[in-house]
Amino acid sequence: MTQYDLNLILNPNLSSEQVLTEKEYVETTVKNAGGEIVKLDEIGNRRLAYSIEKDREGYYLYYTINAGGNPLTSIGDVLRLRDHVRRVVLVKDRPEWKTKKA
């Protein structure tokens, strides 16, 4: 299984119950695709560089997942169909990106 970074931007006007529902949906989607969630960083509302659907803010969720196969289609495409999801970025984690060069 390969490690991936899954970054989501949600609608900033969601209540805490709606955010919890979206997080549960992401968890079931990853499990249905044969993956597992390693870590979740819930950043919260942040200002966007440009507006998305007339919103200048977004609710950020950063997941680290382990998945096999092609998670771009099995996870990314399913999450893009949600109404409250503004952006989905799924990137293969590369350890050399995290090392600092002198």
Side-chain angles (χ1 to χ4, degrees):
M1 293 180 82
T2 309
Q3 191 167 2
Y4 291 89
D5 289 332
L6 173 63
N7 304 326
L8 295 173
I9 300 176
L10 302 176
N11 183 350
N13 304 320
L14 297 178
S15 67
S16 59
E17 293 85 20
Q18 290 172 319
V19 170
L20 183 63
T21 303
E22 294 299 323
K23 290 192 317 190
E24 289 172 355
Y25 185 79
V26 170
E27 183 178 331
T28 57
T29 302
V30 170
K31 286 184 181 178
N32 288 342
E36 63 177 344
I37 296 175
V38 177
K39 187 172 95 172
L40 166 63
D41 290 329
E42 190 170 349
I43 305 299
N45 281 337
R46 295 287 181 170
R47 186 166 174 82
L48 299 170
Y50 54 90
S51 61
I52 299 174
E53 296 183 20
K54 297 186 181 180
D55 286 327
R56 293 294 297 169
E57 289 186 345
Y59 193 88
Y60 282 77
L61 297 172
Y62 295 138
Y63 289 92
T64 302
I65 63 171
N66 287 331
N70 188 4
L72 295 175
T73 57
S74 59
I75 297 172
D77 290 348
V78 172
L79 293 176
R80 284 184 182 92
L81 296 176
R82 298 289 289 180
D83 289 336
H84 297 300
V85 175
R86 299 291 190 238
R87 288 287 184 267
V88 176
V89 178
L90 186 61
V91 180
K92 190 176 192 178
D93 190 26
R94 307 260 317 251
E96 62 266 14
W97 291 347
K98 295 180 181 177
T99 59
K100 294 188 177 189
K101 296 181 181 178

